[in-house]
Structure formats: C-alpha cells, structure tokens
Amino acid sequence: MSDTSIQDLVRVDEGLISRKIFVDPDIYRAELENIFAKCWLYLAHESQLPNPGDYTTNYMGEDPVLIWRGMDGEIRAFLNSCRHRGMRICRTDVGNARQFACPFHGWTYGSNGELKTVPSFDDSYFGDLNLAEWGLHEVPRLANYGGFIFGNWDEDAGSLDDYLGNARWYLDVVIERAIGGLEVFPGGQRYSVDGNWKIASENFVGDGYHIAQSHGSAFTLPARPLNPANPFSSYRGTLTYYDIGLDNGHGFSQATLAGERIEVDRMEAKELGPEVVEYVEECYARLVKLSQAHADFYAWTFGTLFPNFSINNFSALRPIGLMLWTPKGPGRLEVWQWGATDKDAPKILKDRVRQDLIRNQASVGILAQDDTENFEQVTASTAGVIAQRLDFNYQMTLDRKPVEGLDQFPGFISTYNSEENQRRYYRRYAELMGGGEGAQQVYAGPKLAARG
Ligand code: FES
Ligand SMILES: [Fe+2]
C-alpha cells in the first residue's frame, strides 16, 4: 500500500472515503501489518486475572494471544501458538494454570513462557535441543492504564500513555468513578458478524446519527433505557450533547458537559433507595476530586479507542460495556465483549446492570442486533463492482469549528450530531496505512498522573 493510493482512497478533508477500504483483501492484509502489528491493542482487564496462574485469551489482529498472570505475580502476554509446530497451546477462554502442555506433541511451557520440558528429550532429541531458545513468543510491550491492559507487537512503539493521549482525561472518569475498582463480569460474549471491522469501530467512535433511526424501536418499548439520558428518555429535559474528537483517532460520543447526567442518576437513584442515593453521591464526589469538569462530564455514552476497542459508559447506574471488533478478514469480524461494574456497587445495582447488559448490548440484546444488521448489510452492499466505484460520505460538520467556551474539556468538541470523530479516526488510519508517523499527538495535561 503506497502513500499515494491510501491518500486517494481516504480523502478525509473532502469527507469522502472509498468503499474499497472495507472490502479489498490487500488493504486488509496491510491493516494487519500497519495497524494491528503497530498499535496498542486492548487485551484484558486486570480484574479478570486476580491470582497467580489466572489466564484469559484474546486476539491481536489475527494472532491469538494468551494473557497469563505468572506464578511470580507478573502479567505477561504470549502468542498462543506452540513454538514446535504452531498448535494453539491454550484452548479455553479463561482459567488457571501453572503450565500448559501443548496438545499436539506435549512441549510444556511455564507461566513465564519458558519451555520447561519436551517429551522424549533424551530418546528422540538425544538432548540436542536448546530449551532456552524455544520459549513462547512474548508480546514485547504490555502496559496497564487504570486496570485496562494493552499490548503492542511493536517493540519501538511509543508509550501507552502517549498513545491514549487526551483520551486519558475521559478514561479517568470511568476509572476514578468506580468504587472498589472496575470489575469485569465473569464470562464474556462472542459473536460473528459478516462485516468489516472498521464499520463497527467507526460506529462507536461518533455515530450518534444512527440512533434515532436504527434503534428507534427500542425506545418505544416499556423497558428501562440503557442510556438514561438518551434523547428519547423522559429525563431528557434540556440535555445538550457533544461529540469529542481525541488524539490519535480516538473519540467519544453523546457527551453532556454541564452536569446533566449526574442529575439524571440522582433522580433514578431516589427510586432505588437510600443505599443507591449514597452510592451516586460518592461516585460524584470522587470525580469532583479529579476536577469539576470531570464531574460535570460524568459519563460519555459510547466511544472507540483506535483501532477497535469500544467502551460504553452510560452512567454510574448502567453497565460499562467493553467491546472488541476483532478482524477476521475484510468481510468478517468477531465481537468480543464484556460487561463491568464497580466492585463495591450495591447489589441491587449489580443485578440491574446485568439485566441491562443482556437486554441491550449483548449478543441477544436489542441494540446489538440493530447494529449487527447495519454492519452486515453495509459490508454486503458495498462489495459489488459498481458499489466499489463509489465513496462513502462523511461530510457532516465538515467545515465546522470546535464549539467555543468549553476549554476545560480536552479534544475537539463538536456539536451533536457530527462526523468529525469519524474523520479524525480515518485520518489516523490513513497516516498509519501510508506508513507515516503521522500526528502522534501527545497530551500532557497537568491533571493526568502517569499510570504504571
Ligand atoms: S506443536 Fe506443540 S508440541 Fe508439537
Ligand atoms: Fe447502535
């Protein structure tokens, strides 16, 4: 993929993007090289690995990885592929193990990745194999931001803090608001979608525009809405929404910035009893300690960290949704998703949060099914020879400046609806696909302490 061709296909300044990038197998292969082997990718939350030996699995691009807390307490990640002849050494999603014996011929690896033993070392190898050279292939860079563990295949990549940039300011809201720390529910969900991974990622980076049309039926149901401050809710009052475009292609959407969401939570909490009222006030107080702007923001609804990690954060009374749009070819993705809540949230809330997740953004949920239909049909109706000659349109708010008077909030603040976040997402995409360093913008705001 040369510089010229990707710039021809992704013409962000005109708000035009060729449909080829969602279909072409060569472009897809280049994405695995230039994006998934270069960017920081979300792997797991540390609450999933509390004890020595705990492990979970995931993918980085199309490479399967094993995330494993060693018996020494350290979390590492490895390519989940035996060094002998490539068999997947761990074939379950989660568990606890001191070691893994490869199911094919039995090479056995310790929790620090070392190759400990091979069957018939004396009789078959005559002792002639240097075990020290054949340990599991380790993901060279691993970093943790507030419990969110990311890996990077690129040894020379910049730090995770720099990669997240000013998105950290907003991530701090969900991390610091959590009483007892965030806790991912046991058991993730997984489902296949016949769609290109970017269609899903860009939907979550800033597509509030689809909500009224695509999810309209959900708002007519006599059920508690997932987003308590949604534009159709009886609480909506005079909510003003914004989109927030961030460094390095990240973005959050449907944010309120004047403290409206805490007021909605306060109203709902009263219906749930004094324990929940106290909980909401404690959440709010924790954010005020960060800054009044963090407290006024309170929640962002949905967003994507480039390239393929999306997070729902509706309120302190709703589930935190973690979604990975895992690429499986130009026309197929696997959704890997988890729900989380505060470890020390009142039980009544934890129960509600599970219900909300299942009812809405889970594989059987109303909203996820609406979205999946869009992701699949967009990809299918884009693959034909005639469709491939056309561009997608990202021209909404193309020439608009950021909203003024909101300098306390980092990033490019857009009116809602907007396609600014999608353009920023694809600008970063084009930079990486073109091979350039691009705008590796680094936010170094004084409120952000470095996290280990
Ligand atoms: S492939 Fe693992 S021991 Fe042969
Ligand atoms: Fe949606």
Side-chain angles (χ1 to χ4, degrees), residues 21-200:
I21 70 163
F22 303 101
V23 169
D24 186 293
D26 291 336
I27 291 178
Y28 174 73
R29 191 72 215 167
E31 289 170 352
L32 294 180
E33 289 280 356
N34 296 325
I35 293 175
F36 288 95
K38 296 278 185 205
C39 290
W40 285 97
L41 305 174
Y42 177 68
L43 297 181
H45 190 267
E46 68 180 358
S47 65
Q48 295 170 280
L49 307 162
N51 302 309
D54 286 348
Y55 66 83
T56 186
T57 56
N58 206 328
Y59 280 85
M60 294 173 70
E62 289 202 14
D63 288 300
V65 288
L66 167 67
I67 305 107
W68 198 359
R69 190 185 282 279
M71 301 315 291
D72 59 1
E74 191 178 327
I75 295 176
R76 303 175 181 86
F78 304 100
L79 184 68
N80 187 7
S81 178
C82 180
R83 292 294 306 283
H84 178 226
R85 209 84 93 248
M87 179 63 184
R88 194 183 295 255
I89 61 152
C90 171
R91 300 198 298 165
T92 48
D93 294 343
V94 293
N96 183 281
R98 300 179 72 86
Q99 59 183 31
F100 278 101
C102 176
F104 200 167
H105 310 94
W107 283 25
T108 298
Y109 301 92
S111 66
N112 61 358
E114 68 176 345
L115 178 59
K116 289 168 68 177
T117 59
V118 304
S120 7
F121 183 65
D122 294 329
D123 297 345
S124 302
Y125 284 97
F126 300 98
D128 212 7
L129 177 73
N130 185 352
L131 301 192
E133 288 179 2
W134 292 96
L136 290 175
H137 183 69
E138 186 166 353
V139 178
R141 301 286 300 282
L142 212 64
N144 178 334
Y145 190 76
F148 293 92
I149 301 166
F150 293 75
N152 196 321
W153 288 121
D154 181 5
E155 286 187 47
D156 300 324
S159 71
L160 174 63
D161 276 4
D162 287 353
Y163 182 83
L164 294 173
N166 56 6
R168 287 179 292 152
W169 191 98
Y170 296 93
L171 287 173
D172 284 350
V173 168
V174 72
I175 293 165
E176 300 296 337
R177 197 188 65 203
I179 298 175
L182 272 187
E183 181 179 53
V184 170
F185 303 148
Q189 291 209 339
R190 196 171 307 170
Y191 55 98
S192 293
V193 178
D194 288 332
N196 183 273
W197 65 273
K198 298 185 294 299
I199 301 290

